[in-house]
Amino acid sequence: MSIIVEWLIGWIASNAVGLLVKTILNEDFAQDLAKDYAKDFFKDRFNNVGTLLFLKEPLQKAIIKALKEFLQIVEEELRFRRVSDEDIKKFAKPLKQFIYNKSVKQILGKAFDADCDSLDYQTLANIWNHPPHKSYV
């Protein structure tokens, strides 16, 4: 088991709040992250492979923390709208497909750019409303 997988399991155990976070950010996700999830997330950000390797673990941790916050916000919004736990669980698969979408990862990765003021929310909304038929999970 890699260091990032071990870290994620411990971090989620002590920091995870909500059904979506616990369902989506699990050991399988950590293994995917350790393999190549971050490649699309930070596509075109690092031209120097040495720099990316040096920053790999901190970037993986930042991705996990950002996705945790995103999933918690989604769940809070669903709870605000009085969606039941059973129905919230039904969002796990489409949310997982959404965060694995290559375009979504690239857009979300832009949040780590020093000069980023906003993200392309229109494209994110379009991807959510019209998901590709191919499964990413």
Side-chain angles (χ1 to χ4, degrees), residues 46-58:
F46 301 102
N47 295 327
N48 183 334
V49 174
T51 301
L52 183 57
L53 291 174
F54 176 72
L55 296 173
K56 184 177 182 179
E57 187 176 320

Side-chain angles (χ1 to χ4, degrees), residues 76-120:
E76 287 170 11
E77 180 66 23
L78 293 171
R79 290 194 183 285
F80 176 76
R81 295 172 185 254
R82 301 192 192 294
V83 175
S84 70
D85 284 354
E86 235 4 83
D87 287 338
I88 288 173
K89 288 178 187 177
K90 292 176 185 175
F91 278 88
K93 185 175 180 180
L95 277 167
K96 192 169 184 180
Q97 289 176 331
F98 180 75
I99 65 173
Y100 271 83
N101 180 294
K102 187 174 183 173
S103 295
V104 169
K105 290 189 284 186
Q106 290 172 357
I107 291 168
L108 295 178
K110 290 179 182 179
F112 290 87
D113 289 349
D115 61 347
C116 178
D117 292 327
S118 67
L119 297 176
D120 183 357

Side-chain angles (χ1 to χ4, degrees), residues 4-73:
I4 195 67
V5 174
E6 290 175 15
W7 176 85
L8 175 66
I9 293 168
W11 188 81
I12 290 295
S14 61
N15 292 286
V17 177
L19 297 168
L20 295 174
V21 171
K22 291 176 183 176
T23 302
I24 296 172
L25 299 183
N26 55 27
E27 186 175 338
D28 291 336
F29 176 82
Q31 290 173 352
D32 288 344
L33 179 69
K35 283 188 237 170
D36 64 359
Y37 185 89
K39 286 180 191 174
D40 291 329
F41 206 89
F42 293 108
K43 185 176 172 80
D44 301 326
R45 302 280 176 316
F46 301 102
N47 295 327
N48 183 334
V49 174
T51 301
L52 183 57
L53 291 174
F54 176 72
L55 296 173
K56 184 177 182 179
E57 187 176 320
L59 292 175
Q60 289 171 331
K61 289 178 180 180
I63 291 169
I64 291 166
K65 290 177 181 180
L67 289 174
K68 174 202 163 260
E69 292 297 320
F70 168 72
L71 294 170
Q72 281 183 208
I73 290 169

